[in-house]
Amino acid sequence: MRSTAVAVTAVSLALLVTACGGGEKSGDQGKDAGKGTGAAPSASATSAAPATSSAPAKALSAAELEKLIVEQADLPGHQVQKAKAGEIPVAAAVSADKPSCTPFAHAMSYLAPGKPAASAHRKAIEVPKTEGKTASPEDALGALAAPVTGVALASYDGQGAQEAFASMKTAGTDCAGGFTLIGGGERTKISRIAPEPVTAGEEALAWTVTTDVEGRPWITKVVVFRQGNTLASFSTLSFGGTVKALPKAVLTAQAAKLG
């Protein structure tokens, strides 16, 4: 698993390396602190709803975002943890070989795209059901393969949230055939990103991401949705190598928390 984690990228898999740990201290998005709100019915990955014309509100503070991001009580069946500062890279340290793909690289790496005024972060680990039985070695392996979703909730000044969302939409088109994610001292080959339908906030996008890990496909999911001047982004991965579905429970809980 160590070699796989290194191959995929130390940035993205920091979520998984600490997935079995207890609660931790929250961290800022590199030097970009972030905070946000968001939720409501939305558009699909292939056709996002147009941005609203109402004047954007002033960005929320990090303290306000901490009250709006999903917590343990919001997600039964998950272990929700605050992120360690070391799990959140400096935005400038994560990029892509194609400039238009950098927002997508950020979303994959526990960072809100664009230039948020403030942000908050959580990771939600899906807890396998054991039906009251003592966990077997197989159960333990299943727990390691459980989906882990990194959540970044960010708030922006002006039209920053709309611009960040638009950059993700552009990346979904420009980078569909793949790109190289640069971060954590590694270069990770993303071979394909494919849109998925999703509904959340005023506008939403979702993708299945295929990463080339030592010649084998590693399947993850990325979702973003915008509500006003807040952007919520989600990156879901697993040590099992394949995430089969969008993190709907996490998306629904976050949307409800912000609604």
Side-chain angles (χ1 to χ4, degrees):
M1 289 190 291
R2 176 181 174 80
S3 63
T4 299
V6 170
V8 173
T9 178
V11 173
S12 298
L13 289 190
L15 292 172
L16 291 180
V17 172
T18 58
C20 296
E24 296 121 353
K25 296 194 296 181
S26 62
D28 293 333
Q29 177 172 320
K31 294 184 179 179
D32 300 322
K35 182 150 195 163
T37 69
S42 167
S44 74
T46 55
S47 177
T52 57
S53 59
S54 59
K58 180 178 174 60
L60 298 172
S61 68
E64 289 172 309
L65 284 175
E66 284 292 327
K67 296 178 181 179
L68 293 171
I69 197 166
V70 288
E71 298 288 5
Q72 185 66 64
D74 307 312
L75 274 172
H78 291 71
Q79 182 184 25
V80 180
Q81 302 175 1
K82 290 185 178 181
K84 290 180 179 178
E87 291 178 333
I88 306 167
V90 175
V94 179
S95 62
D97 61 337
K98 302 176 185 178
S100 63
C101 300
T102 293
F104 207 94
H106 284 176
M108 290 183 66
S109 304
Y110 211 6
L111 293 167
K115 297 181 179 179
S119 61
H121 304 81
R122 294 293 185 274
K123 56 186 175 186
I125 306 153
E126 189 174 317
V127 179
K129 297 179 181 179
T130 60
E131 299 181 354
K133 299 181 294 183
T134 301
S136 65
E138 291 76 13
D139 292 330
L141 289 174
L144 287 174
V148 180
T149 299
V151 182
L153 191 62
S155 190
Y156 302 73
D157 287 316
Q159 296 293 311
Q162 289 88 337
E163 292 167 359
F165 186 88
S167 73
M168 290 295 294
K169 187 175 183 179
T170 297
T173 299
D174 291 356
C175 313
F179 65 96
T180 298
L181 189 157
I182 304 166
E186 301 291 330
R187 296 176 67 88
T188 303
K189 176 60 180 176
I190 311 302
S191 52
R192 182 171 181 263
I193 60 176
E196 284 205 29
V198 65
T199 299
E202 293 179 30
E203 50 186 354
L205 295 164
W207 300 268
T208 292
V209 182
T210 303
T211 303
D212 182 6
V213 179
E214 299 177 348
R216 295 187 178 185
W218 179 285
I219 309 299
T220 61
K221 305 288 184 179
V222 170
V223 183
V224 294
F225 74 76
R226 182 187 66 80
Q227 182 70 29
N229 65 331
T230 298
L231 198 70
S233 57
F234 310 81
S235 181
T236 305
L237 56 163
S238 162
F239 264 131
T242 297
V243 177
K244 297 180 180 180
L246 298 179
K248 292 182 180 179
V250 182
L251 292 173
T252 299
Q254 185 62 83
K257 191 77 178 281
L258 298 173

